[in-house]
Amino acid sequence: KALQKTMLFEREMTAWLQRECQTAFAGASPPDKGSENKSSAKKSSVAGGKESEQNLEFDEDGNAVKADSAQGIKIKYLRNSKKKDGDGGAKSKKNVGTTAAAAPSDSSSVMQVPPLLGMASSAFDNYMSPYISLERENMDEQISNASLDANVSQRGEFPVFTSSTTLFVYMKNSITRCTLLTRGKAFFLLHIAFRESLRKYATLLSKKFPSPISTAGSSIISSAVTQTTNAVVPSGGGNSGGAGGGGSGSNQSPAHSYRIPSGQEKTICHVIDTCEYCVDTVEALEELIREKMSSEYQSKVDMSGEQDAFQNVTAKGLKILVSGLLNRCDTALGKELASINWLTIDVVGEESGYVRSLHTVIQPFAASVRKLLPSVYFKSFCDKFARNFAALYQQSIVRQKRISEAGTQQLLLDVYNVKTLLLKLPITGNRSKKGDDDGDATTTAPAMYVRMVQKDFSRIEIMLKLVGTPQDMLMDVFKVNKASLGVSHTEDLQIVMTLKGMKRSDQQAMFDRLGLEAQALNSTNNPTAAISSTILMASQSTSDVAAKMNSDLSQMRQKMDQFRMTLSSKPSG
């Protein structure tokens, strides 16, 4: 209240001195007729009145009154009457002051005095901590309420939590309140309070994710999911504070696997959408703050760390979606596929039951996610899931003890059907929502994604063809296809011979004939360990794709910033 009244006094006195004494203040222009108290009227709105939209008049004691009130009209009438009656002493008095009155028309011929604005009110600047604390407490209360608020706003292209829009509206109003009082140190401290609140909100959004499950005593498939998904999370920015475990923290924390209860994938998508909204809005908020901040503090305004915090939560959300869907495939791969005796199959029929189970699990999940995520994030989800699923599927096949020749043919049929399912993943649940710029991607999967899936599944297909190859032809077929098996030739051949049921002596003889080192026999007693390097390579490749995507997005934002600066620097007119 004291600061408001002090600033109101400064503005009222500035307007009165300009009008009555023709005082010229440095950096201030003379008031226009009919709007001479415009700045004073703006300040009076801080006190909660509506004087910001009205002119002011001043009585003989210097008190401000509304120009359209009865008293204001009376003051204006008396002033005009005095001007009309000024024939005598008033006229000579006016002549004496002619030079002074005309001076404002030529600003170069009059001495300007320092402005009154801020002369007294600036003394409050170092004592604004209670005001900043009050704003911080109000934002903390909003964030606390948001932890129990699951309401989403459908106004935009994608749904976001209403708590996010409410928080930014409050910040915008807080900026308006503060800049009416000060644009200096107190405003800078308020901007720091904004940053703290945004980090807290990022942490709150991260807590809406499901908790990780323990791998101790879990199924073999769940353990494999933990191994694959934790290697493909893209590294976030250098600032991960309050992000809730996203970004680079995944390299330091224990491996996690996630199970998503039915329907909770929608909540995860809402979190990702809200983080995307926050990243864009924080950028606009930073520009607004810098524009209104005093020049001495403008260079210190930087909210990139808060953007990184929300981006880290987004990365964690994508990781959880991938891990959750992989874990939902546990029944199909870890139980149904494993329960089939592939050695006793002698006739190839239609696709196996576990393939139909995979269709039932994957298609509805992907369709639901696609409707709720921006296309760039859904494509990233598809890339990560397809790459991880291919490695997981290969693991599940390798875990079988023996596979007959007919069993390999049945598995090849299953692999083809599963590959077809994944190739259609990016176009599952086509949407025609306004603003979708996928173009023909709604009917055709991206070429890069198709190549990736075909390459990953070709390894599985070649491995099964080798398993179904008669033993006397195995060496020749392996020589032809080893280039497609990757770098682990010895380990891959070890797996093939184990699945064929070849004796150790026969395996050793095969290694000798091929000129390969037989040390793999001692290092791969567990055949599933042999493909761990394959999984790691696949994971690293996906991480590179995600890192490139983040880099491209960052470069795009920088170009947009440069474009805005170029436009703002062009002279108007």
Side-chain angles (χ1 to χ4, degrees), residues 455 458-459 462 466 475-490 492 537:
K455 180 180 178 180
S458 66
R459 288 182 53 84
I462 292 174
L466 290 173
M475 183 176 66
D476 295 333
V477 177
F478 178 77
K479 288 181 179 179
V480 174
N481 292 279
K482 67 179 182 179
S484 302
L485 290 174
V487 296
S488 304
H489 305 322
T490 305
D492 289 329
M537 289 177 57

Side-chain angles (χ1 to χ4, degrees), residues 169-190:
V169 168
Y170 181 86
M171 289 182 176
K172 183 178 180 181
N173 293 335
S174 180
I175 290 174
T176 302
R177 290 191 295 269
C178 185
T179 51
L180 288 172
L181 301 175
T182 175
R183 297 171 182 259
K185 181 179 179 180
F187 188 26
F188 179 75
L189 295 177
L190 180 63

Side-chain angles (χ1 to χ4, degrees), residues 12-25 30-31 36-37 56-63 75-76 78-80 82-83 93-94 97-98 100-102 104:
E12 289 175 350
M13 288 304 300
T14 298
W16 186 84
L17 289 173
Q18 286 179 322
R19 188 186 68 243
E20 300 295 335
C21 302
Q22 290 75 43
T23 304
F25 293 99
E36 52 195 11
N37 296 301
L56 295 178
E57 292 289 345
F58 299 90
D59 59 18
E60 296 179 355
D61 298 326
N63 297 321
I75 294 174
K76 185 177 181 180
L78 292 175
R79 184 174 67 250
N80 292 336
K82 290 180 179 179
K83 290 181 180 180
K93 189 175 184 180
K94 179 179 179 180
T98 299

Side-chain angles (χ1 to χ4, degrees), residues 345-351 405-411 413-414:
I345 293 179
D346 54 5
V347 178
V348 178
E350 60 181 8
E351 63 183 21
E405 183 176 347
T408 59
Q409 297 301 320
Q410 180 64 52
L411 278 170
L413 176 62
D414 294 342

Side-chain angles (χ1 to χ4, degrees), residues 10 16 43 55 57 117 127 153 172 175 181 185 188 195 210 212 230 244 257 280 308 416 434 474 483 524 529:
E10 292 174 342
W16 186 84
K43 185 59 210 164
N55 295 325
E57 292 289 345
L117 301 179
Y127 305 94
S153 173
K172 183 178 180 181
I175 290 174
L181 301 175
K185 181 179 179 180
F188 179 75
R195 295 175 56 185
N230 275 275
S257 181
D280 294 338
D308 290 340
Y416 174 79
K434 183 180 179 180
L474 180 60
T524 58

Side-chain angles (χ1 to χ4, degrees), residues 28 67 82 155 177 310 312 321 328 358 421 430 445 507 539 548 560 568:
K82 290 180 179 179
R155 294 182 179 179
R177 290 191 295 269
F310 287 109
N312 289 341
L321 286 175
R328 288 191 182 184
L358 289 175
L421 169 64
N430 292 352
Q507 293 184 25
S539 301
K548 185 179 184 303
M560 289 299 297
S568 61

Side-chain angles (χ1 to χ4, degrees), residues 98 138 190 207 238 422-423 425 470 472 492 539:
T98 299
N138 291 337
L190 180 63
K207 291 180 179 179
L422 290 187
L423 287 175
L425 190 65
D472 57 344
D492 289 329
S539 301

Side-chain angles (χ1 to χ4, degrees), residues 139-250:
M139 288 186 288
D140 288 345
E141 183 179 358
Q142 286 196 3
I143 294 173
S144 178
N145 295 334
S147 61
L148 302 175
D149 185 7
N151 294 325
V152 295
S153 173
Q154 302 285 350
R155 294 182 179 179
E157 183 179 3
F158 298 98
V160 299
F161 289 111
T162 55
S163 57
S164 63
T165 58
T166 302
L167 180 61
F168 281 111
V169 168
Y170 181 86
M171 289 182 176
K172 183 178 180 181
N173 293 335
S174 180
I175 290 174
T176 302
R177 290 191 295 269
C178 185
T179 51
L180 288 172
L181 301 175
T182 175
R183 297 171 182 259
K185 181 179 179 180
F187 188 26
F188 179 75
L189 295 177
L190 180 63
H191 131 271
I192 294 178
F194 289 164
R195 295 175 56 185
E196 294 172 354
S197 297
L198 289 171
R199 287 179 177 269
K200 292 177 182 178
Y201 189 66
T203 302
L204 171 69
L205 291 177
S206 182
K207 291 180 179 179
K208 291 182 179 291
F209 293 142
S211 301
I213 61 176
S214 173
T215 57
S218 60
S219 67
I220 296 175
I221 298 297
S222 295
S223 300
V225 169
T226 303
Q227 179 184 6
T228 56
T229 55
N230 275 275
V232 300
V233 180
S235 299
N239 300 304
S240 58
S248 58
S250 61

